[in-house]
């Protein structure tokens, strides 16, 4: 892969953004189509961008995972039925995203983690990244997402889109990672708050945690905490990398973010 | 992978069997469901069977491939749009097959060759088979099929299901390969004929070819010739392997073939 030819961007489209979490297997098709259109517009202006898109499973994978409980690992032969069920649910949403990107004129290559990754104790230990690399070389958009994968210790595990990005970090060396969800960023006033922290570094985050005495105040609950901790690890591993957490609900937000990162309204995470 | 625990069978469901070749993107859903049901019935009786299923692209992939002409290789950047289009068309049919297998109670793992294989000059040179192996270890049915893949010389190429089986032969060591199509077998009286040759070996095939002076008489045209030559190569590479070419149009034919190979009405290809 030729580096230095331009920006290399990983985009995560959050499950809560592209599905209706209240209803099982309900994709927000209009939102998905809009996001695809925004990416196409940005690429029209900046054809040198290399883009990789991953998406959460939202009400597709999560409902199936909750029902089959395979996130607890596989202990009985029947559990593999749950594995297949979660994989199929994730694939159904994936097809919606893939069709929407294709309809927007974006040529994608679908790479399901279940076909290329293997984990141990929930951590990817093998990840065949060749197809991702080839796709970027020729100008295709690799399309991936959260998925079930085999796990040497637990039988099976679920890899989030963030875990997939994590496994690809050294191979594809993104310059920017955009975590696009429903929430406007990391919030200073709790999960229901409105005050977005504009900039965080690993050092600044430790200071805040110390000051507020743990999980009070700043939203370090559940999904946001995991996302943020992953982002902090990423910038520690690659100090040139910028990670953004922002909302994709406003039409044009993703397009603007791809055109000019300074226009992103959200939380920027950098090493320094 | 533990060998010797039972039969290991690759099944190809032909594109002409599972799609209506006269109409673009028309799956024969009832046929697909019936074939899935027959596999489930056979597995109910012989739970020790290890099964891998691949399917052709029929009127999905072929129409897209003809329109985009990517089988001639990639020469212009725009051709990659055709690559994405053929991949998406193949994936649409794949989802039909996957849903039908799931509905029949068969837990599958989808492994698209475009994500795991790379070719050079049309021949697979790299094939990440780990997911296939793990699936068999835990009792999942790997589901794959004809697909576009990257090619180091041509940019891209199309791998048939037979080419995918070819790449997996040494890794998964099938004991039997069933090529299930619309035609009753290799025909002694030409492509429109009715006289099925019950048994062929590489030596016997060479004798016949010599006797009839090439491609006259015995059906060695087009798709059947490629299928047969591939089958002959397989049994030369593994003399313990049996390959069958038969029709899946008769309800019960695939189920019977899985229960008891001697019941297969078709052409059997063995080394001796």
């Amino acid at each position: 892969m030729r580096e230095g030819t331009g920006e290399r961007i990983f985009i995560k489209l959050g499950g809560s953004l592209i599905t209706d979490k209240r209803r099982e297997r309900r994709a927000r098709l209009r939102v998905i189509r809009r996001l695809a259109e925004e990416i196409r517009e940005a690429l029209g202006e900046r054809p040198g961008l290399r883009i990789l898109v991953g998406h959460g499973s939202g009400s597709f994978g999560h409902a199936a995972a909750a029902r089959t409980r395979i996130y607890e690992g596989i202990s009985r032969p029947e559990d593999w039925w749950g594995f297949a069920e979660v994989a199929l649910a994730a694939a159904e949403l994936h097809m919606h995203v893939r069709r929407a990107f294709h309809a927007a004129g974006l040529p994608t290559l679908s790479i399901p983690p279940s076909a290329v990754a293997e984990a141990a104790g929930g951590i990817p230990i093998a990840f065949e990244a060749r197809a991702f690399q080839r796709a970027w070389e020729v100008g295709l958009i690799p399309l991936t997402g959260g998925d079930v994968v085999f796990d040497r210790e637990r039988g099976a595990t679920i890899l989030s889109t963030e875990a997939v990005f994590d496994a690809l970090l050294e191979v594809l060396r993104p310059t920017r990672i955009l975590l696009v969800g429903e929430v406007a960023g990391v919030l200073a006033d709790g999960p229901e708050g409105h005050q977005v922290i504009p900039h965080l570094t690993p050092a600044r985050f430790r200071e805040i945690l110390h000051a507020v005495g743990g999980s009070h105040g700043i939203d370090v609950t559940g999904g946001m905490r995991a996302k943020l901790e992953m982002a902090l690890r990423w910038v520690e591993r690659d100090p040139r990398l910028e990670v953004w957490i922002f909302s994709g609900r406003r039409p044009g937000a993703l397009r603007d973010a791809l055109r000019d990162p300074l226009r992103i309204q959200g939380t920027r995470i950098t090493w320094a």
Side-chain angles (χ1 to χ4, degrees), chain A:
Chain A
M1 192 189 46
R2 290 165 302 171
E3 285 194 31
T5 51
E7 271 202 275
R8 299 178 299 281
I9 305 182
F10 288 3
I11 301 170
K12 179 193 175 178
L13 306 177
S16 58
L17 180 64
I18 64 171
T19 71
D20 183 343
K21 283 226 169 182
R22 296 161 307 177
R23 294 175 181 183
E24 187 165 353
R25 300 201 187 197
R26 188 67 63 97
R28 285 181 173 155
L29 293 179
R30 269 186 300 184
V31 174
I32 296 171
R33 289 188 196 119
R34 172 172 64 74
L35 294 166
E37 198 57 46
E38 293 187 24
I39 292 174
R40 193 195 57 75
E41 286 173 30
L43 281 173
E45 290 178 27
R46 303 187 61 197
L49 290 183
R50 287 278 167 269
I51 284 181
L52 177 152
V53 175
H55 60 84
S57 282
S59 63
F60 285 74
H62 290 187
R67 195 170 46 244
T68 59
R69 303 177 70 171
I70 72 138
Y71 51 86
E72 294 174 359
I74 299 275
S75 50
R76 303 161 307 166
E78 311 90 88
D79 293 339
W80 289 105
W81 176 256
F83 181 91
E85 193 160 333
V86 175
L88 179 59
E92 294 284 1
L93 177 59
H94 188 71
M95 281 301 282
H96 285 306
V97 176
R98 199 169 167 186
R99 287 188 203 111
F101 272 64
H102 200 78
L106 296 169
T108 59
L109 179 73
S110 164
I111 310 174
S114 49
V116 299
E118 190 174 15
I123 311 292
I125 51 160
F127 205 106
E128 171 59 43
R130 190 191 300 256
F132 289 92
Q133 292 174 297
R134 295 285 177 270
W136 266 11
E137 284 169 4
V138 303
L140 292 170
I141 298 175
L143 198 62
T144 188
D147 202 359
V148 287
V149 299
F150 293 111
D151 189 293
R152 287 193 192 172
E153 291 166 23
R154 301 177 189 172
T157 193
I158 292 182
L159 286 192
S160 67
T161 307
E162 285 85 359
V164 172
F165 285 1
D166 200 70
L168 292 170
L169 206 67
E170 264 81 33
V171 190
L172 297 179
R173 304 202 71 79
T175 54
R176 202 177 300 276
I177 295 179
L178 309 181
L179 303 177
V180 192
E182 271 219 319
V183 181
V186 181
L187 302 170
D189 46 353
E192 303 297 322
H194 298 280
Q195 206 184 318
V196 174
I197 301 175
H199 185 215
L200 276 174
T201 62
R204 177 80 189 115
F205 180 65
R206 280 191 294 269
E207 265 173 45
I208 293 175
L209 269 194
H210 184 74
V212 299
S215 64
H216 189 69
I218 178 172
D219 176 19
V220 285
T221 56
M224 186 55 85
R225 180 179 198 127
K227 226 185 284 290
L228 179 57
E229 288 183 345
M230 189 75 94
L232 293 165
R233 264 208 307 281
W234 290 337
V235 297
E236 283 180 323
R237 276 162 65 192
D238 183 354
R240 294 168 309 173
L241 174 67
E242 276 197 356
V243 184
W244 287 88
I245 299 175
F246 66 100
S247 167
R249 290 180 70 181
R250 180 179 67 77
L254 176 56
R255 183 195 57 217
D256 293 347
L258 289 169
R259 277 173 168 164
D260 176 5
L262 293 177
R263 296 173 75 161
I264 300 176
Q265 303 275 327
T267 301
R268 176 170 156 253
I269 296 135
T270 59
W271 182 68

